[in-house]
Amino acid sequence: MSTPSGLTRSPRPTLTAQLRRRKSISHMVESARADNGGGQLKRTLGVFQLTMISVGATLGTGILVILGQAVPIAGPAVFISFLLAGVTALLSAVSYAEMAGMVPVSGSSYSYSYATLGEGIAWVCGWCLVLEYAVSVAAVAVGAAEYVNETLSVFGLELPAALAAGPSEPGGMVNLSALIVVGLATILLIRGARESALVNTVVVIIKTGILVFFSIVAFTAFNAGNFEPLLPMGAAGVTGAASIVFFSYIGFDAASTAGEEARNPKRDLPRAILWSMVIVTTAYVLVAVTAVGARQWQWFEGSQAALVQIIHELTGQQWIVLLFAASSVLAIASVVLTVLYGQTRILLSMSRDGLVPGIFSRVNARTGTPIAGTVITGSVVALTAAFIPLGQLAEATSIGTLFAFALVSVSVIYLRRKQPLATRTFKVPFYPLTPILGAAACLFLMSQLAPVTWLVFGLWMCVGIVIYFGYGRRHSRLGQLSKQQYIDAHLNRPAD
């Protein structure tokens, strides 16, 4: 939202006033229609493609990468951890669905917070989303190295230790696989959302197939005795694992970042979000149960490629291992592709509002994509994935995600109170209980994370505060409006 022409810039509002300023939904839509450095995002995605974006950004991560870390914490009850995390995500997902139908623009929970809770909370939410998306892309890409090695092992090869992991691992220097996966995803995103969505849809079908195949094979070795005792680490182990595997559910909100590229966002975004949650939760629980049924929970200690190892041990067929491992690499790559897509759209929305540099909102007229912002984001994420280990990344992602999800639930409550008559294409069921439970569940899982994760989160927030005061507050487009201009803009009245 720019300052109306013909008017001189007024004195900056007080800090409290600026932090409380909200951007009206009508002006968000108006900003999305404005020219951003040469063109607009193109509306090419239907409900199927949007669902595939959410599933692509979610399905596979927790099972293919995080399972080996979660089982030793929760024991055989790891499937309960996935259910607990899934229910928490679902409580947030229905709030996302309502907000996505009301605010059909890029930006996800950042935009929802700006429309309801003001610039201060929107900045905090946006900064959390930067942590959520960028770090989750890096974390998933790190997990690709194990599956690349499993694929190469079929041919009697493996990556040198120096290229298989970052410097924190023995003998490691750089995770080359992670670097390449993020680089390829960045190149594909530059070409366009429609092309990226097509590739993602094909890969989602492939990875759904390999997870079903795994479940069938693992069930042939199913041993009910592997679930005794069900809770060797107690309930604390289950909730602790749930806070980690929640990382696996962050993808469902990727569809909400495509608000400006959906053909009918008010109708299709809520449907895509809810369908993706049903598909992903069902797949996660099924695979977790069959995996533990096939192997005792202690077997999973330290494994980052547990499924392909189980397939190898049960079938003994190299060609099956090759097919499964190669498909797993594609599955991980699709998560990288779709989550990185969401990251670029979050930064695009924040850039439009002046809170981050304008280069992130420059849309190329030919491709309909923010090329410069995509290259910058992809480069930073690729370097992060190349040098930082998986475990630290996954937990940092979870805390940022949970905080952002809690804010969306609060936003639903706010808009129900302030705009009760506004058109809603989807309504949260059992209001206000559902959004209250959604926010409470997110805060509870946050409390289960390790102190070091909270320390990282606190440092991240401090960096965000410095950037806001150093750049965001001075360049905020809402902050440049006089009090009367802001009132006119918020009420959607033309300035005199």
Side-chain angles (χ1 to χ4, degrees):
M1 185 187 307
S2 59
T3 305
S5 59
L7 292 176
T8 57
R9 181 177 297 181
S10 59
R12 190 185 309 279
T14 64
L15 175 60
T16 301
Q18 184 167 342
L19 292 176
R20 296 176 60 185
R21 285 191 169 185
R22 293 176 283 111
K23 190 174 183 182
S24 67
I25 295 175
S26 61
H27 274 80
M28 287 187 178
V29 176
E30 177 186 319
S31 296
R33 292 172 180 167
D35 186 280
N36 293 287
Q40 299 178 20
L41 298 176
K42 298 178 180 179
R43 293 195 178 275
T44 59
L45 307 178
V47 65
F48 178 73
Q49 291 94 338
L50 292 168
T51 303
M52 290 299 99
I53 286 175
S54 282
V55 174
T58 312
L59 185 60
T61 310
I63 293 298
L64 294 172
V65 179
I66 299 297
L67 188 64
Q69 295 186 16
V71 175
I73 297 174
V78 68
F79 70 94
I80 301 178
S81 299
F82 276 104
L83 273 175
L84 179 59
V87 170
T88 302
L90 181 60
L91 290 171
S92 298
V94 292
S95 293
Y96 263 93
E98 177 167 324
M99 294 300 296
M102 293 186 68
V103 190
V105 298
S106 295
S108 187
S109 49
Y110 160 75
S111 295
Y112 309 155
S113 297
Y114 216 154
T116 57
L117 304 175
E119 182 171 293
I121 298 299
W123 169 261
V124 171
C125 184
W127 194 239
C128 285
L129 290 175
V130 171
L131 177 68
E132 169 193 342
Y133 281 90
V135 177
S136 66
V137 170
V140 175
V142 168
E146 289 292 327
Y147 285 90
V148 169
N149 263 334
E150 290 293 336
T151 303
L152 293 175
S153 68
V154 175
F155 303 100
L157 304 172
E158 65 177 0
L159 288 173
L163 301 180
S168 63
E169 300 294 329
M173 292 181 60
V174 58
N175 192 323
L176 182 62
S177 301
L179 191 67
I180 292 174
V181 167
V182 177
L184 292 176
T186 301
I187 293 171
L188 185 57
L189 286 174
I190 289 172
R191 293 182 59 84
R194 184 173 182 177
E195 292 82 356
S196 302
L198 177 61
V199 172
N200 174 68
T201 298
V202 173
V203 177
V204 166
I205 294 172
I206 292 173
K207 68 179 174 181
T208 302
I210 67 169
L211 291 178
V212 172
F213 173 74
F214 169 83
S215 298
I216 294 172
V217 172
F219 192 72
T220 63
F222 192 87
N223 180 5
N226 289 347
F227 291 88
E228 297 177 359
L230 183 63
L231 300 171
M233 306 298 180
V238 174
T239 56
S243 66
I244 294 175
V245 302
F246 190 82
F247 161 83
S248 312
Y249 287 91
I250 69 166
F252 79 78
D253 61 329
S256 66
T257 67
E260 293 168 40
E261 289 155 288
R263 288 196 292 266
N264 189 342
K266 290 188 175 182
R267 182 196 67 186
D268 293 345
L269 287 177
R271 295 180 181 181
I273 290 170
L274 296 178
W275 271 114
S276 66
M277 282 302 305
V278 172
I279 294 170
V280 169
T281 302
T282 301
Y284 279 169
V285 173
L286 175 63
V287 175
V289 169
T290 53
V292 174
R295 289 292 179 269
Q296 292 184 334
W297 66 273
Q298 297 92 336
W299 178 91
F300 292 85
E301 182 73 38
S303 174
Q304 289 186 359
L307 301 196
V308 73
Q309 292 171 16
I310 291 175
I311 288 289
H312 190 191
E313 292 177 7
L314 294 181
T315 66
Q317 299 293 321
Q318 290 291 79
W319 70 270
I320 294 179
V321 175
L322 173 62
L323 181 62
F324 191 90
S327 299
S328 298
V329 173
L330 285 177
I332 292 171
S334 76
V335 176
V336 172
L337 175 68
T338 46
V339 178
L340 186 60
Y341 164 84
Q343 172 71 98
T344 60
R345 272 46 179 183
I346 295 294
L347 289 170
L348 181 146
S349 295
M350 296 177 73
S351 177
R352 282 178 181 161
D353 296 327
L355 300 183
V356 297
I359 192 171
F360 290 101
S361 59
R362 294 177 188 168
V363 178
N364 183 273
R366 182 177 61 85
T367 64
T369 59
I371 291 181
T374 301
V375 170
I376 294 171
T377 304
S379 300
V380 172
V381 171
L383 292 174
T384 302
F387 296 106
I388 299 180
L390 171 65
Q392 296 174 14
L393 291 172
E395 291 204 20
T397 299
S398 292
I399 195 167
T401 304
L402 288 163
F403 189 77
F405 284 5
L407 288 179
V408 174
S409 296
V410 174
S411 296
V412 167
I413 296 172
Y414 180 91
L415 277 185
R416 284 287 190 100
R417 291 173 61 88
K418 294 295 184 178
Q419 300 183 29
L421 301 180
T423 301
R424 290 171 171 82
T425 56
F426 175 85
K427 288 188 175 182
V428 171
F430 307 112
Y431 175 86
L433 180 61
T434 300
I436 291 174
L437 288 177
C442 288
L443 295 176
F444 172 74
L445 288 185
M446 287 178 70
S447 71
Q448 301 301 301
L449 291 168
V452 67
T453 304
W454 277 95
L455 176 61
V456 171
F457 183 66
L459 292 174
W460 180 258
M461 287 294 103
C462 289
V463 172
I465 291 172
V466 170
I467 293 177
Y468 177 76
F469 282 103
Y471 184 93
R473 191 187 177 207
R474 293 187 294 111
H475 293 84
S476 167
R477 297 195 175 184
L478 278 188
Q480 293 173 6
L481 301 180
S482 69
K483 184 176 181 179
Q484 188 58 50
Q485 286 173 322
Y486 168 69
I487 292 173
D488 290 339
H490 195 66
L491 296 178
N492 202 25
R493 294 200 303 249
D496 295 330

